[in-house]
Amino acid sequence: MPLWGFLLSFLAAAMWAASPIMVNYGLAISKCSIHEVNPFRAAVFFVTSLIIALIYNGGHITPITSPLIYFYLFAGVSAGYLLGDLFYFIAIREIGVSLAVPIANGYPILVIFTSWILLGEPVTMKLLWGIVVVVSGILLLRFGGEKIKEPDDAADALHNKRRLMKGFAFAIATGCFWALSAPMTKLVIITSGLGPVEVTFYRSFAFLVISIVARIVTVKYRTTATIPLRSVRPAAAMYFAAAAFIGLCLGSIVYAACLVVMPVAIVTAITATSPLIAALFGHFALKERLLKLQWTGIVLIIAGSVAVGI
């Protein structure tokens, strides 16, 4: 495995740490809901990926005709970008960047299983130790925080507890969907024979189609949960666009390039170091306070995720 593959994996981790922070900022300065995020992300992702693919390939993009490849594309994108990211944004809204990001990024443990089932990549005894370490870290994040004084109103106290549990549940669900998406991307690369730039373009196309369909369904059946896209503040739209360009476009190209020369489990283990970057930003910039036990939990999640892939 080449050194540049490891370096690019860490670069992808940094990009993926920055992307949700930008989305969180966009949501904070606007009155839009999480349902308005994906249309902006999908459009920017598609346009930038198309431009990069055309430049990189001299104006030519290799066509895909296999239904199986399209199945892998749409299944992986639906799991990762639609459901996984949607749950991710909900988790960030409920429990903040510092907690949601580390929990969701424990997904390399699950990637071991999905890669074994879908790709036949081997499972070793280190997996058991990795599970113990990562789960210990998640428990420290959940129960190692500062004890907040319960409100006098029993209803408010119950609401706070439910919100905390909801945030943790969505963060864990995020990891499950991301774990399904990772080997799907590898299958696209294997079966299509395309390079990382073209694979990223086709993933952006799938995301655009899925986002349009999801938007139509959401507006029709959950009208009160959405606002017109034209009502989103320009500053918020810029944050969503920047998050798409850095996290989805550039991050996906770098990630796909790593998958070409490295096993899925190792790449995802290295990119799982992004929680530390996000937690530091959440602590210093967003003023999300973490206690020593919770910092220990973050370190354990990263250590367990990286160790299983080494």
Short mmCIF file of all heavy atoms in Angstrom, two decimals, residues 14-75:
data_model
loop_
_atom_site.label_atom_id
_atom_site.label_comp_id
_atom_site.label_asym_id
_atom_site.label_seq_id
_atom_site.Cartn_x
_atom_site.Cartn_y
_atom_site.Cartn_z
N ALA A 14 -9.89 15.23 7.12
CA ALA A 14 -9.97 16.66 7.41
C ALA A 14 -11.13 17.32 6.66
O ALA A 14 -11.86 18.15 7.20
CB ALA A 14 -8.65 17.34 7.05
N MET A 15 -11.30 16.92 5.41
CA MET A 15 -12.39 17.48 4.60
C MET A 15 -13.74 17.08 5.18
O MET A 15 -14.67 17.90 5.25
CB MET A 15 -12.27 17.00 3.16
CG MET A 15 -11.09 17.56 2.41
SD MET A 15 -10.98 16.87 0.73
CE MET A 15 -9.57 17.79 0.08
N TRP A 16 -13.86 15.83 5.57
CA TRP A 16 -15.13 15.35 6.10
C TRP A 16 -15.42 15.92 7.49
O TRP A 16 -16.58 15.97 7.91
CB TRP A 16 -15.15 13.83 6.13
CG TRP A 16 -15.24 13.24 4.76
CD1 TRP A 16 -15.56 13.90 3.61
CD2 TRP A 16 -15.04 11.88 4.39
NE1 TRP A 16 -15.55 13.04 2.54
CE2 TRP A 16 -15.23 11.79 2.99
CE3 TRP A 16 -14.70 10.73 5.08
CZ2 TRP A 16 -15.11 10.60 2.28
CZ3 TRP A 16 -14.57 9.54 4.39
CH2 TRP A 16 -14.77 9.47 3.01
N ALA A 17 -14.40 16.35 8.19
CA ALA A 17 -14.63 17.01 9.48
C ALA A 17 -15.14 18.43 9.27
O ALA A 17 -15.97 18.93 10.03
CB ALA A 17 -13.33 17.04 10.28
N ALA A 18 -14.64 19.09 8.22
CA ALA A 18 -15.05 20.47 7.95
C ALA A 18 -16.46 20.57 7.40
O ALA A 18 -17.19 21.52 7.69
CB ALA A 18 -14.06 21.11 6.97
N SER A 19 -16.87 19.57 6.60
CA SER A 19 -18.16 19.65 5.91
C SER A 19 -19.36 19.76 6.86
O SER A 19 -20.19 20.67 6.69
CB SER A 19 -18.31 18.43 5.00
OG SER A 19 -19.52 18.50 4.28
N PRO A 20 -19.52 18.88 7.87
CA PRO A 20 -20.70 19.02 8.74
C PRO A 20 -20.68 20.30 9.56
O PRO A 20 -21.74 20.82 9.93
CB PRO A 20 -20.61 17.78 9.64
CG PRO A 20 -19.18 17.38 9.62
CD PRO A 20 -18.71 17.71 8.24
N ILE A 21 -19.49 20.80 9.86
CA ILE A 21 -19.40 22.06 10.60
C ILE A 21 -19.97 23.19 9.76
O ILE A 21 -20.69 24.06 10.27
CB ILE A 21 -17.93 22.34 10.99
CG1 ILE A 21 -17.46 21.30 12.01
CG2 ILE A 21 -17.78 23.74 11.56
CD1 ILE A 21 -15.97 21.34 12.28
N MET A 22 -19.67 23.19 8.46
CA MET A 22 -20.22 24.21 7.57
C MET A 22 -21.73 24.09 7.46
O MET A 22 -22.44 25.10 7.47
CB MET A 22 -19.58 24.07 6.18
CG MET A 22 -18.11 24.43 6.13
SD MET A 22 -17.42 24.22 4.48
CE MET A 22 -15.72 24.73 4.77
N VAL A 23 -22.23 22.86 7.36
CA VAL A 23 -23.68 22.67 7.31
C VAL A 23 -24.32 23.16 8.60
O VAL A 23 -25.37 23.83 8.56
CB VAL A 23 -24.01 21.17 7.08
CG1 VAL A 23 -25.51 20.93 7.26
CG2 VAL A 23 -23.57 20.73 5.70
N ASN A 24 -23.70 22.87 9.73
CA ASN A 24 -24.23 23.30 11.01
C ASN A 24 -24.30 24.82 11.10
O ASN A 24 -25.26 25.39 11.63
CB ASN A 24 -23.37 22.74 12.14
CG ASN A 24 -24.07 22.80 13.48
OD1 ASN A 24 -25.26 22.49 13.59
ND2 ASN A 24 -23.35 23.21 14.51
N TYR A 25 -23.28 25.48 10.58
CA TYR A 25 -23.28 26.94 10.55
C TYR A 25 -24.42 27.46 9.68
O TYR A 25 -25.11 28.42 10.02
CB TYR A 25 -21.94 27.46 10.02
CG TYR A 25 -20.97 27.89 11.10
CD1 TYR A 25 -19.72 27.28 11.20
CD2 TYR A 25 -21.29 28.89 12.00
CE1 TYR A 25 -18.83 27.66 12.20
CE2 TYR A 25 -20.41 29.27 12.99
CZ TYR A 25 -19.17 28.66 13.08
OH TYR A 25 -18.29 29.03 14.07
N GLY A 26 -24.60 26.83 8.52
CA GLY A 26 -25.66 27.25 7.62
C GLY A 26 -27.03 27.11 8.25
O GLY A 26 -27.88 28.00 8.12
N LEU A 27 -27.26 26.00 8.95
CA LEU A 27 -28.53 25.79 9.63
C LEU A 27 -28.73 26.80 10.76
O LEU A 27 -29.85 27.24 11.04
CB LEU A 27 -28.61 24.37 10.18
CG LEU A 27 -28.73 23.25 9.15
CD1 LEU A 27 -28.59 21.89 9.82
CD2 LEU A 27 -30.06 23.34 8.40
N ALA A 28 -27.62 27.17 11.41
CA ALA A 28 -27.70 28.07 12.55
C ALA A 28 -28.08 29.50 12.14
O ALA A 28 -28.76 30.20 12.90
CB ALA A 28 -26.37 28.09 13.31
N ILE A 29 -27.63 29.94 10.97
CA ILE A 29 -27.89 31.32 10.56
C ILE A 29 -29.13 31.47 9.70
O ILE A 29 -29.46 32.57 9.28
CB ILE A 29 -26.68 31.90 9.79
CG1 ILE A 29 -26.46 31.14 8.49
CG2 ILE A 29 -25.43 31.87 10.65
CD1 ILE A 29 -25.36 31.71 7.63
N SER A 30 -29.82 30.37 9.44
CA SER A 30 -31.04 30.43 8.64
C SER A 30 -32.18 29.76 9.38
O SER A 30 -31.99 29.10 10.39
CB SER A 30 -30.84 29.75 7.28
OG SER A 30 -30.75 28.35 7.46
N LYS A 31 -33.35 29.94 8.86
CA LYS A 31 -34.52 29.33 9.46
C LYS A 31 -34.95 28.07 8.70
O LYS A 31 -36.05 27.56 8.92
CB LYS A 31 -35.68 30.33 9.47
CG LYS A 31 -35.42 31.54 10.36
CD LYS A 31 -36.62 32.48 10.37
CE LYS A 31 -36.36 33.68 11.26
NZ LYS A 31 -37.52 34.62 11.29
N CYS A 32 -34.10 27.58 7.84
CA CYS A 32 -34.45 26.40 7.07
C CYS A 32 -34.27 25.14 7.90
O CYS A 32 -33.62 25.16 8.96
CB CYS A 32 -33.62 26.31 5.80
SG CYS A 32 -31.86 26.04 6.06
N SER A 33 -34.82 24.04 7.43
CA SER A 33 -34.70 22.76 8.10
C SER A 33 -33.64 21.91 7.40
O SER A 33 -33.10 22.31 6.36
CB SER A 33 -36.05 22.03 8.10
OG SER A 33 -36.37 21.60 6.78
N ILE A 34 -33.38 20.75 7.94
CA ILE A 34 -32.40 19.86 7.33
C ILE A 34 -32.86 19.38 5.95
O ILE A 34 -32.05 18.93 5.15
CB ILE A 34 -32.14 18.64 8.23
CG1 ILE A 34 -33.45 17.92 8.56
CG2 ILE A 34 -31.41 19.05 9.49
CD1 ILE A 34 -33.27 16.67 9.37
N HIS A 35 -34.17 19.50 5.67
CA HIS A 35 -34.69 19.05 4.38
C HIS A 35 -34.28 19.98 3.24
O HIS A 35 -34.41 19.61 2.07
CB HIS A 35 -36.22 18.95 4.43
CG HIS A 35 -36.71 17.98 5.46
ND1 HIS A 35 -36.52 16.62 5.37
CD2 HIS A 35 -37.38 18.19 6.64
CE1 HIS A 35 -37.06 16.03 6.42
NE2 HIS A 35 -37.59 16.95 7.19
N GLU A 36 -33.80 21.18 3.55
CA GLU A 36 -33.36 22.10 2.52
C GLU A 36 -31.86 21.96 2.22
O GLU A 36 -31.35 22.58 1.29
CB GLU A 36 -33.64 23.55 2.93
CG GLU A 36 -35.06 24.00 2.72
CD GLU A 36 -36.06 23.30 3.64
OE1 GLU A 36 -35.91 23.41 4.87
OE2 GLU A 36 -36.97 22.62 3.12
N VAL A 37 -31.16 21.17 3.02
CA VAL A 37 -29.71 21.07 2.86
C VAL A 37 -29.33 20.28 1.61
O VAL A 37 -28.50 20.72 0.79
CB VAL A 37 -29.07 20.43 4.11
CG1 VAL A 37 -27.57 20.23 3.90
CG2 VAL A 37 -29.33 21.30 5.34
N ASN A 38 -29.90 19.10 1.45
CA ASN A 38 -29.48 18.20 0.37
C ASN A 38 -29.68 18.74 -1.05
O ASN A 38 -28.83 18.48 -1.91
CB ASN A 38 -30.17 16.84 0.50
CG ASN A 38 -29.40 15.90 1.41
OD1 ASN A 38 -28.25 16.16 1.76
ND2 ASN A 38 -30.02 14.81 1.81
N PRO A 39 -30.76 19.47 -1.35
CA PRO A 39 -30.85 20.02 -2.71
C PRO A 39 -29.67 20.91 -3.07
O PRO A 39 -29.16 20.84 -4.21
CB PRO A 39 -32.17 20.81 -2.67
CG PRO A 39 -33.00 20.09 -1.67
CD PRO A 39 -32.02 19.67 -0.61
N PHE A 40 -29.23 21.74 -2.14
CA PHE A 40 -28.06 22.60 -2.41
C PHE A 40 -26.80 21.75 -2.53
O PHE A 40 -25.98 21.97 -3.43
CB PHE A 40 -27.90 23.62 -1.28
CG PHE A 40 -28.91 24.72 -1.31
CD1 PHE A 40 -30.02 24.68 -0.48
CD2 PHE A 40 -28.77 25.80 -2.17
CE1 PHE A 40 -30.97 25.70 -0.51
CE2 PHE A 40 -29.71 26.82 -2.21
CZ PHE A 40 -30.81 26.77 -1.37
N ARG A 41 -26.64 20.79 -1.63
CA ARG A 41 -25.44 19.95 -1.67
C ARG A 41 -25.39 19.15 -2.96
O ARG A 41 -24.32 19.03 -3.59
CB ARG A 41 -25.44 18.99 -0.46
CG ARG A 41 -25.30 19.67 0.88
CD ARG A 41 -25.52 18.69 2.01
NE ARG A 41 -24.41 17.77 2.15
CZ ARG A 41 -24.54 16.45 2.26
NH1 ARG A 41 -25.72 15.89 2.20
NH2 ARG A 41 -23.47 15.69 2.40
N ALA A 42 -26.51 18.58 -3.35
CA ALA A 42 -26.54 17.72 -4.54
C ALA A 42 -26.23 18.52 -5.81
O ALA A 42 -25.48 18.06 -6.68
CB ALA A 42 -27.91 17.05 -4.66
N ALA A 43 -26.82 19.72 -5.93
CA ALA A 43 -26.60 20.53 -7.13
C ALA A 43 -25.14 20.94 -7.26
O ALA A 43 -24.54 20.82 -8.33
CB ALA A 43 -27.50 21.77 -7.09
N VAL A 44 -24.55 21.42 -6.17
CA VAL A 44 -23.15 21.85 -6.20
C VAL A 44 -22.23 20.65 -6.43
O VAL A 44 -21.27 20.73 -7.20
CB VAL A 44 -22.78 22.57 -4.89
CG1 VAL A 44 -21.28 22.86 -4.84
CG2 VAL A 44 -23.57 23.86 -4.76
N PHE A 45 -22.53 19.54 -5.79
CA PHE A 45 -21.74 18.32 -5.95
C PHE A 45 -21.73 17.88 -7.41
O PHE A 45 -20.68 17.55 -7.98
CB PHE A 45 -22.34 17.24 -5.06
CG PHE A 45 -21.56 15.95 -5.01
CD1 PHE A 45 -20.22 15.90 -5.35
CD2 PHE A 45 -22.19 14.76 -4.62
CE1 PHE A 45 -19.51 14.70 -5.30
CE2 PHE A 45 -21.49 13.57 -4.57
CZ PHE A 45 -20.15 13.54 -4.92
N PHE A 46 -22.90 17.90 -8.04
CA PHE A 46 -23.00 17.44 -9.43
C PHE A 46 -22.24 18.38 -10.37
O PHE A 46 -21.46 17.92 -11.23
CB PHE A 46 -24.46 17.35 -9.85
CG PHE A 46 -24.65 16.99 -11.30
CD1 PHE A 46 -24.44 15.69 -11.73
CD2 PHE A 46 -25.02 17.96 -12.22
CE1 PHE A 46 -24.60 15.35 -13.08
CE2 PHE A 46 -25.18 17.63 -13.57
CZ PHE A 46 -24.96 16.33 -13.99
N VAL A 47 -22.46 19.68 -10.24
CA VAL A 47 -21.83 20.63 -11.15
C VAL A 47 -20.31 20.60 -11.02
O VAL A 47 -19.59 20.54 -12.02
CB VAL A 47 -22.36 22.06 -10.89
CG1 VAL A 47 -21.56 23.08 -11.70
CG2 VAL A 47 -23.84 22.15 -11.24
N THR A 48 -19.81 20.63 -9.79
CA THR A 48 -18.35 20.64 -9.61
C THR A 48 -17.73 19.31 -10.04
O THR A 48 -16.65 19.31 -10.63
CB THR A 48 -18.01 20.92 -8.14
OG1 THR A 48 -18.71 19.99 -7.28
CG2 THR A 48 -18.39 22.34 -7.74
N SER A 49 -18.40 18.20 -9.76
CA SER A 49 -17.87 16.90 -10.17
C SER A 49 -17.86 16.77 -11.68
O SER A 49 -16.92 16.19 -12.27
CB SER A 49 -18.70 15.77 -9.56
OG SER A 49 -18.63 15.79 -8.15
N LEU A 50 -18.89 17.30 -12.35
CA LEU A 50 -18.95 17.27 -13.81
C LEU A 50 -17.81 18.08 -14.42
O LEU A 50 -17.13 17.61 -15.35
CB LEU A 50 -20.29 17.82 -14.27
CG LEU A 50 -20.47 17.97 -15.79
CD1 LEU A 50 -20.36 16.62 -16.49
CD2 LEU A 50 -21.82 18.63 -16.11
N ILE A 51 -17.59 19.27 -13.89
CA ILE A 51 -16.52 20.12 -14.42
C ILE A 51 -15.16 19.44 -14.23
O ILE A 51 -14.34 19.40 -15.16
CB ILE A 51 -16.54 21.49 -13.71
CG1 ILE A 51 -17.82 22.24 -14.09
CG2 ILE A 51 -15.30 22.31 -14.09
CD1 ILE A 51 -18.01 23.54 -13.33
N ILE A 52 -14.92 18.92 -13.03
CA ILE A 52 -13.64 18.27 -12.75
C ILE A 52 -13.45 17.04 -13.64
O ILE A 52 -12.36 16.80 -14.18
CB ILE A 52 -13.54 17.88 -11.27
CG1 ILE A 52 -13.45 19.15 -10.41
CG2 ILE A 52 -12.33 16.99 -11.01
CD1 ILE A 52 -13.49 18.88 -8.92
N ALA A 53 -14.51 16.26 -13.82
CA ALA A 53 -14.43 15.04 -14.66
C ALA A 53 -14.13 15.39 -16.11
O ALA A 53 -13.31 14.73 -16.77
CB ALA A 53 -15.72 14.24 -14.56
N LEU A 54 -14.78 16.44 -16.63
CA LEU A 54 -14.55 16.84 -18.02
C LEU A 54 -13.13 17.36 -18.22
O LEU A 54 -12.47 17.04 -19.23
CB LEU A 54 -15.57 17.91 -18.43
CG LEU A 54 -17.02 17.44 -18.59
CD1 LEU A 54 -17.94 18.62 -18.85
CD2 LEU A 54 -17.13 16.40 -19.71
N ILE A 55 -12.64 18.12 -17.27
CA ILE A 55 -11.28 18.65 -17.37
C ILE A 55 -10.26 17.51 -17.25
O ILE A 55 -9.31 17.41 -18.03
CB ILE A 55 -11.02 19.71 -16.28
CG1 ILE A 55 -11.90 20.94 -16.53
CG2 ILE A 55 -9.55 20.11 -16.25
CD1 ILE A 55 -11.82 21.98 -15.44
N TYR A 56 -10.48 16.64 -16.29
CA TYR A 56 -9.53 15.55 -16.02
C TYR A 56 -9.46 14.57 -17.19
O TYR A 56 -8.38 14.05 -17.52
CB TYR A 56 -9.96 14.82 -14.75
CG TYR A 56 -9.01 13.72 -14.32
CD1 TYR A 56 -7.86 14.02 -13.60
CD2 TYR A 56 -9.27 12.39 -14.63
CE1 TYR A 56 -6.99 13.02 -13.20
CE2 TYR A 56 -8.41 11.38 -14.24
CZ TYR A 56 -7.27 11.71 -13.52
OH TYR A 56 -6.41 10.70 -13.13
N ASN A 57 -10.60 14.31 -17.84
CA ASN A 57 -10.66 13.31 -18.91
C ASN A 57 -10.67 13.94 -20.31
O ASN A 57 -11.02 13.26 -21.29
CB ASN A 57 -11.90 12.43 -18.75
CG ASN A 57 -11.84 11.57 -17.50
OD1 ASN A 57 -10.90 10.82 -17.31
ND2 ASN A 57 -12.85 11.69 -16.66
N GLY A 58 -10.30 15.19 -20.41
CA GLY A 58 -10.23 15.83 -21.71
C GLY A 58 -11.56 15.95 -22.41
O GLY A 58 -11.65 15.80 -23.64
N GLY A 59 -12.62 16.23 -21.65
CA GLY A 59 -13.95 16.42 -22.23
C GLY A 59 -14.73 15.15 -22.46
O GLY A 59 -15.82 15.18 -23.05
N HIS A 60 -14.22 14.02 -22.00
CA HIS A 60 -14.90 12.74 -22.23
C HIS A 60 -15.18 12.05 -20.89
O HIS A 60 -14.34 12.05 -19.99
CB HIS A 60 -14.04 11.82 -23.09
CG HIS A 60 -14.58 10.42 -23.20
ND1 HIS A 60 -15.67 10.11 -23.99
CD2 HIS A 60 -14.19 9.26 -22.60
CE1 HIS A 60 -15.93 8.83 -23.88
NE2 HIS A 60 -15.05 8.28 -23.06
N ILE A 61 -16.38 11.50 -20.77
CA ILE A 61 -16.75 10.72 -19.58
C ILE A 61 -17.20 9.34 -20.05
O ILE A 61 -18.08 9.22 -20.92
CB ILE A 61 -17.88 11.39 -18.78
CG1 ILE A 61 -17.41 12.74 -18.24
CG2 ILE A 61 -18.33 10.49 -17.64
CD1 ILE A 61 -18.48 13.50 -17.48
N THR A 62 -16.59 8.32 -19.50
CA THR A 62 -16.92 6.95 -19.89
C THR A 62 -18.36 6.61 -19.51
O THR A 62 -18.74 6.75 -18.34
CB THR A 62 -15.97 5.95 -19.22
OG1 THR A 62 -14.62 6.32 -19.52
CG2 THR A 62 -16.25 4.54 -19.69
N PRO A 63 -19.19 6.18 -20.45
CA PRO A 63 -20.58 5.84 -20.13
C PRO A 63 -20.69 4.53 -19.36
O PRO A 63 -19.89 3.61 -19.56
CB PRO A 63 -21.25 5.74 -21.51
CG PRO A 63 -20.13 5.35 -22.43
CD PRO A 63 -18.90 6.03 -21.91
N ILE A 64 -21.69 4.47 -18.49
CA ILE A 64 -22.00 3.25 -17.75
C ILE A 64 -23.30 2.69 -18.30
O ILE A 64 -24.31 3.40 -18.37
CB ILE A 64 -22.14 3.53 -16.24
CG1 ILE A 64 -20.78 3.90 -15.63
CG2 ILE A 64 -22.70 2.30 -15.52
CD1 ILE A 64 -20.85 4.22 -14.15
N THR A 65 -23.28 1.43 -18.68
CA THR A 65 -24.49 0.80 -19.25
C THR A 65 -25.00 -0.36 -18.40
O THR A 65 -26.11 -0.83 -18.61
CB THR A 65 -24.19 0.28 -20.66
OG1 THR A 65 -23.10 -0.65 -20.62
CG2 THR A 65 -23.84 1.45 -21.60
N SER A 66 -24.21 -0.81 -17.44
CA SER A 66 -24.59 -1.97 -16.64
C SER A 66 -25.62 -1.61 -15.57
O SER A 66 -25.36 -0.73 -14.73
CB SER A 66 -23.36 -2.57 -15.97
OG SER A 66 -23.72 -3.55 -15.02
N PRO A 67 -26.78 -2.27 -15.54
CA PRO A 67 -27.77 -2.02 -14.48
C PRO A 67 -27.22 -2.34 -13.10
O PRO A 67 -27.59 -1.69 -12.11
CB PRO A 67 -28.92 -2.96 -14.85
CG PRO A 67 -28.76 -3.22 -16.31
CD PRO A 67 -27.28 -3.23 -16.54
N LEU A 68 -26.32 -3.34 -13.01
CA LEU A 68 -25.76 -3.71 -11.72
C LEU A 68 -24.93 -2.57 -11.13
O LEU A 68 -25.01 -2.29 -9.92
CB LEU A 68 -24.89 -4.97 -11.86
CG LEU A 68 -24.24 -5.50 -10.57
CD1 LEU A 68 -25.33 -5.88 -9.56
CD2 LEU A 68 -23.33 -6.68 -10.87
N ILE A 69 -24.16 -1.91 -11.97
CA ILE A 69 -23.34 -0.79 -11.50
C ILE A 69 -24.24 0.34 -11.01
O ILE A 69 -23.98 0.96 -9.98
CB ILE A 69 -22.39 -0.30 -12.60
CG1 ILE A 69 -21.41 -1.40 -12.99
CG2 ILE A 69 -21.63 0.94 -12.14
CD1 ILE A 69 -20.49 -1.03 -14.14
N TYR A 70 -25.31 0.60 -11.75
CA TYR A 70 -26.24 1.64 -11.32
C TYR A 70 -26.91 1.27 -10.00
O TYR A 70 -27.19 2.15 -9.16
CB TYR A 70 -27.30 1.90 -12.40
CG TYR A 70 -26.83 2.83 -13.49
CD1 TYR A 70 -26.60 2.35 -14.78
CD2 TYR A 70 -26.61 4.17 -13.23
CE1 TYR A 70 -26.15 3.21 -15.79
CE2 TYR A 70 -26.17 5.03 -14.23
CZ TYR A 70 -25.94 4.54 -15.50
OH TYR A 70 -25.50 5.39 -16.49
N PHE A 71 -27.17 -0.01 -9.81
CA PHE A 71 -27.74 -0.46 -8.53
C PHE A 71 -26.77 -0.16 -7.39
O PHE A 71 -27.16 0.37 -6.34
CB PHE A 71 -28.06 -1.95 -8.57
CG PHE A 71 -28.42 -2.52 -7.22
CD1 PHE A 71 -29.66 -2.30 -6.67
CD2 PHE A 71 -27.48 -3.27 -6.50
CE1 PHE A 71 -29.99 -2.81 -5.41
CE2 PHE A 71 -27.80 -3.78 -5.25
CZ PHE A 71 -29.05 -3.54 -4.70
N TYR A 72 -25.49 -0.51 -7.58
CA TYR A 72 -24.49 -0.22 -6.56
C TYR A 72 -24.39 1.29 -6.30
O TYR A 72 -24.27 1.73 -5.14
CB TYR A 72 -23.12 -0.74 -6.99
CG TYR A 72 -23.00 -2.25 -7.04
CD1 TYR A 72 -22.16 -2.87 -7.97
CD2 TYR A 72 -23.71 -3.05 -6.16
CE1 TYR A 72 -22.05 -4.26 -8.02
CE2 TYR A 72 -23.61 -4.44 -6.20
CZ TYR A 72 -22.78 -5.03 -7.13
OH TYR A 72 -22.66 -6.39 -7.17
N LEU A 73 -24.44 2.07 -7.37
CA LEU A 73 -24.35 3.52 -7.24
C LEU A 73 -25.49 4.07 -6.40
O LEU A 73 -25.27 4.77 -5.40
CB LEU A 73 -24.38 4.17 -8.62
CG LEU A 73 -23.06 4.40 -9.35
CD1 LEU A 73 -23.32 4.85 -10.78
CD2 LEU A 73 -22.20 5.42 -8.62
N PHE A 74 -26.70 3.75 -6.81
CA PHE A 74 -27.87 4.34 -6.15
C PHE A 74 -28.06 3.78 -4.74
O PHE A 74 -28.50 4.50 -3.84
CB PHE A 74 -29.12 4.13 -7.00
CG PHE A 74 -29.25 5.13 -8.11
CD1 PHE A 74 -28.62 4.95 -9.33
CD2 PHE A 74 -30.00 6.29 -7.93
CE1 PHE A 74 -28.72 5.87 -10.35
CE2 PHE A 74 -30.11 7.23 -8.95
CZ PHE A 74 -29.47 7.02 -10.16
N ALA A 75 -27.74 2.51 -4.54
CA ALA A 75 -27.85 1.93 -3.20
C ALA A 75 -26.84 2.58 -2.25
O ALA A 75 -27.17 2.94 -1.11
CB ALA A 75 -27.62 0.42 -3.26
#
